[in-house]
């Protein structure tokens, strides 16, 4: 299968544009986040208006019900909407880049680390757009965009590899199944990891309002962030399990054994155990909340470690990075 | 004394089976598995382990003593997963008993005050109590329900559903246990071995350890009772992109197994990467390939000997290969005489030759313009000393002792030859290809797969299904106004911490209360 250089070129162009648009969207979101009132500001406003219902003051953004119709909020909302518009545009450009890469090489667009990285970011952002429709968390988009932009930048510079066909070991329909499951799970778990990180910031601030006062008091309530992280992980964990099982089936037909403690397999196992620990921790008294969130963050760190360190540094069967 | 011991055991058991201990063990399992990804492992690459130990001095040796190069068979890793295993059993046993009890139990009776529940709704409707209960019964199809009548004439329905959540959870954990057991049994009875076969119609038969170049047996495998089958490799094709990257590998192969062995029937199979041959419980994989030069030696007395031996790739991208081909002199039975005249041809093979001066290297992995750069040695190869020796290199100690002496060094193209001082001529005829095959046997892997699929099914059930309860109380209204005969109250409670029950409850409650409103219009 020959490579269509024109399409590959367009793909690269779309990729670069998507990154630029994401950075712009991030700027808008950050402005929106900055204009969101802190808890104390909101309390003060409510006292000034005379709506001294302490229950209301305790309420925090996150539930779409309470939306103080202040003018500042309106402007913030407009800027947030612009960020969202840019974000959607970025996702479209990004999706076009992935699609064109696939068309250019006549195969699924996840045959090396650059393509994998790009696809993971796309899944993460699509997941996020879906979540923003369900939860009132739009102004947090910058915190999801930040790791995505970093990953895309690393992908475009350090990991970049030109469009080329697959090596024989990867020519299998399991590439479609196993790797797409891994990509989807990783993309989802990225969002969950960010939510848990924000949870840690917010929960610390709720315990002691002086901690991260300017940053964390603008975040949604801790339980909203916790629910967000849990919901996404609950979806991603079976997918991840499915991906690992598919990997084992593929390994059986490609390498002669379904499990051989190859570094990548080991690291996937470690991540799986960490996510299992997160799910258990969240149902265990004394571990719910902070500790569970920490486990989730550690688990995602293992996923990132698995992607970068294992692919680039260690020697194993999964050496498909294609990084010169 | 005995009581104290029993108390200790009981406490240890209780401690071990708590969720907290399980969490710590899970963390230890993750932490313990990690060194296996970072340090070289014997099971994957013995040579790298040895190199790592020599490179790191006392630190490397300490790690070795602590079994860090055999993480997955180490005492400490085994201890962690054994404890986790026990903890899991200790957690599952009571839960299974509880589950069996609950499956047969009726839904709990309706609480006195439904408005205290997280989900609650209430309306007064124009139907009598029995009609409301009948409507509820049909709306709650699929729920497990129990009805009761209270003293004041009110009737209630308690309903519960989502039992499959716990079913899924138990299935997942039992399947996990099953998977670990199947995996462990597999480690006892599995084996795998590798062998290089020159692709010129050479046969390989799975008859014993000696037919392999390397063999990794399970703990209960001694290599005497292997599944008999034979393969014959007729040819090998590799295609490359202009960049030199491989595109396809394809070994043209015949095999016989089972009844075919006695009748001598050969069946054809195209062996490819990702498409192993599966026969009589064994699998044959194509895991590598390379070149095998054919050399012919014409001895001074005119006798000829030919040999084609694999020279494995030294550079995987250009397939520049390195190896050694050896010859024994003909008509020599005296060992002392034999050891003076053994020949070794050792050096490099390039499938597409390029030269830097006289230094040979390879420009492309396909055999467009093959050439070899060889040293010819004569003397004692040292292969009769009883020590193990490598097929791929000469014994350097023999060279150092002066018992193996270099006779010539030359670059050869196919058809070219080297003439030694005694009149012996060594001709490089051509290159053939060889395939590296792996034979694997694992009798329990299909069980592992079944358990893995069960785990996935159980996991999906336990993470998506919600265990929830619903209660309805229909009581006659105190003062019966027109169209207001019955007070209906609905309450709901999700038993798991998963959000999302609210939507279902609202839907059900409005349905239950609206059915009656619609009826009111009708009557």
């Amino acid at each position: 299968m020959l490579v269509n250089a024109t399409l590959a070129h367009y793909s690269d162009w779309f990729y670069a544009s998507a990154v630029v648009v994401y950075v712009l969207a991030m700027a808008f979101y950050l402005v929106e986040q900055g204009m969101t009132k802190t808890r104390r500001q909101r309390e003060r406003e409510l006292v000034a208006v005379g709506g001294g219902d302490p229950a209301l003051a305790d309420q925090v953004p996150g539930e779409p019900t309470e939306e103080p119709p202040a003018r500042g909020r309106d402007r913030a909302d407009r800027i947030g909407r612009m960020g969202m518009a840019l974000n959607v545009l970025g996702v479209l450009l990004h999706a076009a880049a992935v699609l064109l890469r696939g068309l250019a090489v006549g195969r699924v667009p996840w045959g090396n680390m650059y393509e994998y990285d790009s696809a993971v970011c796309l899944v993460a952002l699509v997941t996020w757009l879906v979540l923003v429709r369900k939860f009132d968390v739009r102004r947090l988009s910058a915190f999801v965009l930040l790791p995505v932009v970093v990953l895309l930048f690393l992908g475009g510079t350090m990991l970049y590899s030109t469009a080329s066909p697959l090596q024989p070991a990867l020519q299998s329909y399991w590439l479609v199944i196993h790797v797409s499951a891994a990509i989807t799970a990783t993309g989802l778990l990225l969002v969950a990891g960010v939510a848990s990180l924000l949870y840690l910031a917010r929960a610390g601030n709720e315990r002691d309002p002086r901690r991260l006062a300017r940053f964390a008091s603008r975040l949604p309530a801790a339980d909203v962030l916790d629910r967000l992280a849990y919901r996404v992980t609950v979806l991603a964990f079976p997918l991840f399990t499915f991906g690992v099982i598919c990997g084992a089936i593929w390994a059986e037909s490609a390498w002669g054994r379904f499990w051989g403690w190859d570094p990548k397999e080991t690291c996937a196992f470690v991540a799986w155990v960490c996510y299992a620990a997160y799910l258990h921790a969240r149902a265990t008294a004394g571990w719910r909340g902070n500790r569970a969130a920490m486990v989730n963050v550690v688990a995602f760190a293992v996923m990132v470690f698995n992607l970068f360190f294992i692919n680039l540094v260690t020697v194993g069967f999964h050496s498909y990075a294609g990084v010169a | 004394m005995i009581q104290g011991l029993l108390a200790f055991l009981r406490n240890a058991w209780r401690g071990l089976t708590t969720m907290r201990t399980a969490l710590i063990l899970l963390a230890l399992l993750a932490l313990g598995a990690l060194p296996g990804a970072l340090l070289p492992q014997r099971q994957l690459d013995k040579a790298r382990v040895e190199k790592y130990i020599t490179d790191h001095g006392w630190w490397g040796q300490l790690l070795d003593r602590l079994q860090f190069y055999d993480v997955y068979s180490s005492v400490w890793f085994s201890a962690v997963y054994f404890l986790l295993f026990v903890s899991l059993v200790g957690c599952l046993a009571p839960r299974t008993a509880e589950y069996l009890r609950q499956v047969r139990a009726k839904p709990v009776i309706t609480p006195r005050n439904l408005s205290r529940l997280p989900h609650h709704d209430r309306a007064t409707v124009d139907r009598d109590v029995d009609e409301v209960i009948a409507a509820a019964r049909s709306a709650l199809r699929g729920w497990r329900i129990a009805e009761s009548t209270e003293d004041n004439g009110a009737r209630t329905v308690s309903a519960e559903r989502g039992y499959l959540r716990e079913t899924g959870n138990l299935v997942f954990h039992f399947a996990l246990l099953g998977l670990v057991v199947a995996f462990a049994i597999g480690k006892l009875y599995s084996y795998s071995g590798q062998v290089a076969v020159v692709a010129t119609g050479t046969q390989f038969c799975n008859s014993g350890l000696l037919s392999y170049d390397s063999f990794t047996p399970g703990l209960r495998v001694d290599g005497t009772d292997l599944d008999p089958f034979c393969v014959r490799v007729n040819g090998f094709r590799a295609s490359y992109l202009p960049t030199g990257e491989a595109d396809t590998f394809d070994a043209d192969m015949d095999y016989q197994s089972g009844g075919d062995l006695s009748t001598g029937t050969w069946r054809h199979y195209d062996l490819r990467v990702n498409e192993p041959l599966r026969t009589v419980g064994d699998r044959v994989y194509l895991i590598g390939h390379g070149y095998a030069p054919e050399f012919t030696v014409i001895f001074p007395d005119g006798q000829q000997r030919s040999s084609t031996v694999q020279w494995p790739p030294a550079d995987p991208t250009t397939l520049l290969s390195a190896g050694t081909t050896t010859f024994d002199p003909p008509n020599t039975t005296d060992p002392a005489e034999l050891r003076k005249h053994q020949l070794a041809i050792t050096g490099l093979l390039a499938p597409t030759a390029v030269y830097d001066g006289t230094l040979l290297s390879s420009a492309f992995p396909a055999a467009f313009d093959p050439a070899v750069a060889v040293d010819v040695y004569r003397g004692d190869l040292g292969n009769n000393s009883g020590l193990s020796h490598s097929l791929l290199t000469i014994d350097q100690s023999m060279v150092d002792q002066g018992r193996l002496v270099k006779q010539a060094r030359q670059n050869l193209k196919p058809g070219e030859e080297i003439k030694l001082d005694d009149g012996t001529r060594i001709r490089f005829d051509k290159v053939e290809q060889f395939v590296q095959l792996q034979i694997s046997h694992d009798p329990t892997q299909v069980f592992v797969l079944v358990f893995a699929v069960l785990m996935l099914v159980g996991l999906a059930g336990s993470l998506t299904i919600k265990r929830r309860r619903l209660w309805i109380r229909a009581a006659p209204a105190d003062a019966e106004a027109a169209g207001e005969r019955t007070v209906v109250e609905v309450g709901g409670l999700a038993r798991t911490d998963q959000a999302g029950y609210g939507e279902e409850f609202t839907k059900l409650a409005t349905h239950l209360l609206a059915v009656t409103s619609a009826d009111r219009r009708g009557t």
Side-chain angles (χ1 to χ4, degrees), chain B residues 321-336:
Chain B
S321 310
T324 300
T325 305
T326 60
F327 290 92
D328 283 347
N331 304 334
T332 311
T333 46
D334 176 21

Side-chain angles (χ1 to χ4, degrees), chain B residues 194-209:
Chain B
Q194 299 193 350
V195 61
V197 181
V198 177
T200 53
T202 317
Q203 276 187 33
F204 162 80
C205 285
N206 190 34
S207 47
L209 296 185

Side-chain angles (χ1 to χ4, degrees), chain A residues 169 171 250 252 256 266 282 284, chain B residues 72 247 274 278 285 445 497:
Chain A
Q171 293 168 7
W250 188 7
E252 193 272 340
T266 304
R282 221 176 151 282
T284 306
Chain B
Y72 308 107
D247 189 30
N274 281 318
R278 296 169 191 274
Y285 294 86
Q445 67 171 11
D497 65 344

Side-chain angles (χ1 to χ4, degrees), chain B residues 179-201:
Chain B
L179 183 137
V180 172
V181 170
F183 187 85
I185 295 175
K187 285 280 158 260
L188 297 180
Y189 294 100
S190 64
Y191 61 79
S192 71
Q194 299 193 350
V195 61
V197 181
V198 177
T200 53

Side-chain angles (χ1 to χ4, degrees), chain B residues 494-517:
Chain B
R495 292 199 57 206
T496 45
D497 65 344
Q498 196 170 352
Y501 178 44
E503 292 150 32
E504 188 191 11
F505 176 82
T506 313
K507 221 169 124 190
L508 264 171
T510 33
H511 175 73
L512 282 170
L513 301 173
V515 166
T516 42
S517 320

